[in-house]
């Protein structure tokens, strides 16, 4: 028999995370449409159909409501990286998996990814949203410690592993910000429509940032 972990209030962890994401979607939509300063906790609560008190039970501030949706901006890439086989190069793995995602159910809905990009774009001028985005990047760095540690045969807390993980997280941050700006500005999207080429760009940047240590197959 399996049991579902429940919080002190009796809500399952899965339900709690779903609710946080629902709140985050509406908060992000309001932030983008009318600005952070003009959006109140009451408005977010009304948009979700909850009481304002419930919003504050799940989030410490109105700006922190953006955190779950911002994290959605890196979920797809991290899902692919966690499944990176030792015997495959980073270029081959990213290109293969990201192209194949077009024919499978992606880990994140496109609408959520677009909302995440909007929040990342707003983060340029909203310090509180910048904090949410940097927290998401910190999660990327922590997850990369495990991925990189497995590839080079060192503990996740090894200093070399942590340096390479930090470099990789920086690549993800910079390229995601670049892609988000291009998409939201209706710029030339030629470079973004070729998924294999975009995957190679991520891989090349990660190789460069880690001095070539990360990217090759591991025997």
């Amino acid at each position: 028999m399996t049991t579902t972990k429940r919080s002190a209030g009796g809500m399952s962890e899965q339900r709690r995370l779903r609710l946080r994401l629902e709140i985050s979607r509406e908060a992000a939509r309001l932030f983008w449409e009318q600005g952070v300063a003009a959006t109140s906790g009451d408005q977010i609560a009304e948009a979700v159909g909850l009481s304002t008190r419930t919003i504050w039970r799940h989030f410490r501030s109105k700006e922190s409501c953006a955190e779950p949706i911002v994290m959605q901006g890196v979920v797809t890439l991290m899902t692919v990286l966690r499944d990176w086989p030792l015997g495959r190069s980073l270029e081959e793995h990213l290109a293969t998996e990201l192209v194949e995602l077009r024919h499978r159910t992606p880990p994140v809905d496109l609408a959520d990814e677009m909302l995440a990009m909007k929040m990342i774009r707003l983060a340029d001028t909203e310090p509180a949203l910048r904090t949410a985005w940097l927290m998401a990047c910190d999660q990327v760095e922590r997850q990369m410690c495990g991925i990189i540690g497995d590839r080079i045969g060192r503990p996740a807390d090894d200093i070399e592993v942590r340096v390479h993980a930090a470099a990789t997280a920086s690549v993800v941050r910079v390229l995601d910000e670049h892609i988000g700006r291009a998409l939201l500005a209706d710029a030339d999207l030629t470079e973004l429509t070729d998924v294999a080429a975009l995957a190679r760009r991520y891989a090349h940047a990660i190789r460069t940032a880690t001095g070539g240590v990360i990217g090759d197959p591991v025997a």
Side-chain angles (χ1 to χ4, degrees):
M1 180 182 294
T2 59
T3 57
T4 302
K5 184 178 179 181
R6 294 183 176 275
S7 64
M11 180 181 292
S12 71
E13 182 66 9
Q14 185 178 30
R15 172 57 183 153
R16 187 185 74 84
L17 293 175
R18 275 202 308 267
L19 181 57
R20 278 174 55 84
L21 185 55
E22 289 170 14
I23 295 169
S24 192
R25 286 187 183 111
E26 293 303 322
R29 180 181 61 79
L30 289 168
F31 290 161
W32 183 254
E33 290 176 356
Q34 60 189 38
V36 177
T39 300
S40 67
D42 290 339
Q43 288 176 316
I44 296 170
E46 182 179 358
V48 188
L50 298 171
S51 68
T52 305
R53 176 179 292 183
T54 299
I55 299 297
W56 302 141
R57 278 206 298 266
H58 290 276
F59 293 96
R60 65 188 179 278
S61 66
K62 69 176 182 182
E63 293 86 358
S64 69
C65 291
E67 290 170 8
I69 204 69
V70 167
M71 189 63 198
Q72 297 296 84
V74 296
V75 166
T76 297
L77 182 61
M78 292 313 301
T79 299
V80 170
L81 286 173
R82 281 195 297 270
D83 293 335
W84 181 16
L86 294 177
R88 180 187 276 182
S89 72
L90 182 56
E91 289 82 358
E92 180 187 1
H93 179 64
L94 286 182
T96 299
E97 294 301 312
L98 291 177
V99 168
E100 287 185 357
L101 268 180
R102 290 182 167 186
H103 309 293
R104 304 197 308 261
T105 302
V108 174
D109 289 340
L110 179 59
D112 280 353
E113 287 202 349
M114 287 302 297
L115 268 178
M117 288 180 186
K118 289 176 177 178
M119 293 303 96
I120 293 168
R121 185 71 182 88
L122 274 185
D124 284 346
T125 55
E126 294 284 351
L129 295 187
R130 188 69 180 172
T131 298
W133 173 223
L134 294 178
M135 287 175 64
C137 294
D138 180 69
Q139 287 300 310
V140 170
E141 182 178 331
R142 291 171 184 271
Q143 291 180 42
M144 286 306 305
C145 283
I147 295 168
I148 291 172
D150 288 343
R151 295 194 75 82
I152 67 175
R154 296 196 180 192
D157 61 354
D158 178 85
I159 185 63
E160 183 178 350
V161 170
R162 292 183 61 195
V163 167
H164 292 321
T168 301
S170 293
V171 166
V172 172
R173 177 180 61 78
V174 170
L175 287 182
D176 277 10
E177 289 174 356
H178 170 73
I179 291 169
R181 288 191 186 101
L183 285 172
L184 297 174
D186 292 326
D188 182 3
L189 302 181
T190 304
E191 66 171 323
L192 306 181
T193 55
D194 187 338
V195 177
L198 189 59
R200 288 192 296 271
R201 184 171 188 177
Y202 272 93
H204 175 72
I206 290 171
R207 277 184 181 274
T208 301
T210 60
V213 175
I214 306 304
D216 288 337
V218 177

